[in-house]
Each structure stands twice: as C-alpha cells, then as structure tokens.
Amino acid sequence: MRNAVAFVIDRDKELAAINGQRTAAWFEKWGVQAALTLTIDEKTSINPTAIWTPPNPATALFTLAGGVSASADATRIDTLNFYHTVKDLYRLGPCPAGDNAAAPMKSLLIQGDLKLRQWLVSHVLAAGTGEITAPTGIDTPLKQDALSHEVRFLVATSGNINPAWTFVHVNVNPAGPLLSTSRDRTHDLLLTFGPVDPSSKRLASVAAGTFQASQIGVYMRSAPITRFGF
C-alpha cells in the first residue's frame, strides 16, 4: 500500500509540473480500511488395505479383502484489520527495496506483486485525462465515493506415500496411498479507499459500508460450512 500510494501521489505531482495543476490532490484526504484473512486447511488421512488369498488361488472361489480408514481435518482462520490515512502512508514513503530481500525467511506471498499500484493509477489518476471530473472537497459528493479492491490467492500443497508388502497369502496395501496429507492456504486481502469523516477520523459512511459488505462476503467464503440435521 505504501508503494502504491507513494507512486500515485508522486506521479500526480509530476503531471502537475507539466499541466500546471494537480488532478488528484483530493486523494490525500482519503483513508484506507484493510482486512487480511488467512485461511489454512490441513487434511491427513491413512488408509491401509490387505487382500488374503487361499493357498491354491487357481482353484479358489473365495478371497478376503479389508481395510481401515482414518482422517483428520483442521481449519484455522485468522483475520487482521487495520486502518491508515493516505497522508500517513505517503509520509512513510515507499518500502525500501532491500527489506524483503534481507528477510531470513523469504515468502512468495510477501514479495508477490498484488497489482495495487496499477489499480490505483487506473482509478485515481483517471481525472487527469479530462474525460471525468473529480470533486475537490470533503463536503462535495466526493464523500459518497469509495474504491474497493480484493485480491484472493490460493497456495495448495499435498503429498502421499504408498508402500506395499507381498507375503505368501497376503498382499498389504496393494493399491492406493497408505498415507496422504495436504495443506490449502487461501488468503484474501481486502482494501477500501474512501474519504475520511472529519468527526470520526474514519472512513465516511458509504466507504465504511462498502468495506463491511465486502468483508461479509469474504467471511462467508472462508468460514467452514455447518450442517444442521433434524
């Protein structure tokens, strides 16, 4: 967010040096409410099987197969909510390029490009084209505006092992995995930019409502399904 906000405001100032006026100064009066939902689903199952054959399988009319199955499923959901004003994010400036590179444990989820800069540029700087007019004050219809952005990404890992044993009359685990495990990580980043209400120092009502509605949608997708029987 810091990188995206800094780029948009700096770009607006660069264009102002050419055009003689800024077109997105109103953006610095906005704030952003964000929610990061981390959903981790872990599954483990074990399924040993065995087949017994008689001493003379060529003339046998009967074989015996059996198996045991057990599984475990655990889901963890963590939600982090945070709020910043655009002015504070711009004051902090973009993140140093070496921060992620110097981290002891690198993560693709942290270093990945979430396209926030491109999204903000396409919306905030659109007024610079002259095709639309953006309000300039908090008491204008600007307070009814909101920009909402959601990024949802899934990282799935799985593995299994299938050892087999053959004895004189018994085959143990002849087919199918004996042990399997998987971890699905579904992460959701929700951002809502909107004007700041001077009285509450938070997002104005329309932007706050937009964020809450989007957050309910995120929760409904990530929450485990509960079944009721009668």
Side-chain angles (χ1 to χ4, degrees):
M1 288 195 303
R2 286 169 55 183
N3 293 342
V5 166
F7 179 87
V8 167
I9 295 178
D10 287 341
R11 181 58 176 166
D12 183 47
K13 291 180 178 179
E14 293 174 2
L15 295 175
I18 300 174
N19 302 327
Q21 63 176 358
R22 295 186 59 185
T23 60
W26 49 269
F27 183 60
E28 296 185 48
K29 300 178 182 179
W30 279 27
V32 56
Q33 184 74 46
L36 179 62
T37 302
L38 310 176
T39 305
I40 302 175
D41 187 10
E42 296 181 341
K43 300 178 181 179
T44 301
S45 63
I46 183 170
N47 185 30
T49 59
I51 298 177
W52 176 84
T53 58
N56 189 0
T59 60
L61 299 178
F62 175 78
T63 61
L64 180 64
V68 177
S69 178
S71 64
D73 189 350
T75 300
R76 184 172 74 249
I77 301 176
D78 297 327
T79 302
L80 299 87
N81 290 275
F82 44 95
Y83 171 81
H84 298 284
T85 63
V86 170
K87 186 177 296 184
D88 288 341
L89 290 175
Y90 183 68
R91 187 182 299 115
L92 292 172
C95 297
D99 279 3
N100 288 338
M105 296 182 63
K106 297 182 180 180
S107 171
L108 294 175
L109 304 183
I110 295 176
Q111 297 187 14
D113 185 3
L114 301 181
K115 306 298 181 182
L116 300 183
R117 187 184 73 180
Q118 292 87 334
W119 170 67
L120 277 181
V121 167
S122 64
H123 288 76
V124 176
L125 296 182
T129 63
E131 297 295 329
I132 63 174
T133 302
T136 58
I138 192 64
D139 296 328
T140 69
L142 174 68
K143 71 169 72 174
Q144 301 299 322
D145 293 346
L147 296 176
S148 188
H149 182 67
E150 182 179 355
V151 181
R152 189 167 183 257
F153 41 96
L154 171 66
V155 180
T157 56
S158 63
N160 62 76
I161 186 172
N162 184 32
W165 297 267
T166 300
F167 301 98
V168 176
H169 299 296
V170 179
N171 291 331
V172 178
N173 206 53
L178 173 64
L179 177 67
S180 62
T181 182
S182 65
R183 169 180 283 191
D184 296 338
R185 288 166 288 180
T186 305
H187 302 326
D188 198 295
L189 175 63
L190 175 63
L191 302 175
T192 298
F193 284 85
V196 177
D197 188 341
S199 59
S200 64
K201 305 299 182 181
R202 308 290 290 185
L203 290 184
S205 58
V206 172
T210 299
F211 175 79
Q212 291 175 0
S214 300
Q215 197 171 28
I216 291 174
V218 172
Y219 175 78
M220 294 300 293
R221 286 197 304 267
S222 60
I225 298 176
T226 301
R227 301 184 183 275
F228 297 92
F230 299 93

